[in-house]
Amino acid sequence: MHIAFIGLGNMGGPMALNLHKAGYSVRGFDLSKPACDKLAAEGLVIAPSATEAAQGAAVVISMLPASPHVEALFLGDGRAPGLLAALRAGTLVIDSSTIAAATSRKVAEAAAARQIDFIDAPVSGGTGGAIAGTLTFMVGGEAAALERARPLLEKMGSNIFHAGAVGAGQTAKICNNMLLGILMAGTSEAIALGVANGLDPKVLSEIMRRSSGGNWALEKYNPWPGVMENAPASKGYAGGFGTDLMLKDLGLAQENATAVKAATPLGGLVRGLYAAHSLAGYGAQDFSSIIKLVHKG
């Protein structure tokens, strides 16, 4: 089976590579030449365009930054037709981008008109999970389409949840990332408070990790430099999940909350914190760098 993988960044690159290592025929494409060169050096076939990557593909997987990118890829941008026009009937499209649920439904409707199966399958687990193949997939779409996708998803992740119809995966993802942003901001604030009182950040983190304040940030992604060797905080906040991407996801959560009249006061507050952090020049750094808002090291 030939698979096209569009979007070879910090998340998409390792995901595509895991499919390649599992023995699948994968052709990748990304607008970034360095990203393509990195994957090519590891044996992945790189196509000169998304259309050429998808030529003859049974499955197309996309991992792109935001809704406009997904719409432009599949539906076109007014200057060129979208990728759906080049796909055969019966092709399966798996979009693992984190985008608005309405965009997923729009692309799915256009795909269905061409007899193309579409599922939204955003992920959680960070770059570490992408590399290790232990991502969590939150899937929206028909059960039959998910079963077609499952063998591939299992090569990239260890947890696969069917959240509901198309768009449900995106809704689950923005709920998760809103909570993640809140947890990271709160964890950063707590560690900074302890350090201001003379506590060792590593000792304090371990105390909280094993106490009622324990959470994913303390377990896997500590925001304080040097506490966790492989966390972005210990690598100058490079790589990982960017502040601007977190800000985008928090914005999606607030847009959705407004649409359904849900009360998300903490979600709104943390979006404001990340917006201020981005404006301060940290948009490209990992989202755990939010600790710089409450501590100057």
Side-chain angles (χ1 to χ4, degrees), residues 26-40:
V26 182
R27 280 203 301 264
F29 174 73
D30 194 285
L31 292 174
S32 166
K33 188 177 185 301
C36 290
D37 290 345
K38 179 181 178 182
L39 273 295

Side-chain angles (χ1 to χ4, degrees), residues 21 31 34 39 46 50 85 93 119 126 145 153-154 162 171 174 187 191 209 241 249 263 284 286 289 292-293:
K21 290 177 179 178
L31 292 174
L39 273 295
I46 301 298
V93 173
I119 60 172
L153 301 183
E154 288 176 341
H162 189 193
T171 301
I174 62 171
T187 298
I191 295 174
R209 187 181 76 84
F241 183 59
D249 290 357
D286 182 76
S289 64
K292 294 181 181 182
L293 267 183

Side-chain angles (χ1 to χ4, degrees), residues 5 8 13 16-17 19-20 26-29 36 39-46:
F5 207 112
L8 303 174
L17 195 59
L19 290 173
H20 168 70
V26 182
R27 280 203 301 264
F29 174 73
C36 290
L39 273 295
E42 298 195 60
L44 193 74
V45 175
I46 301 298

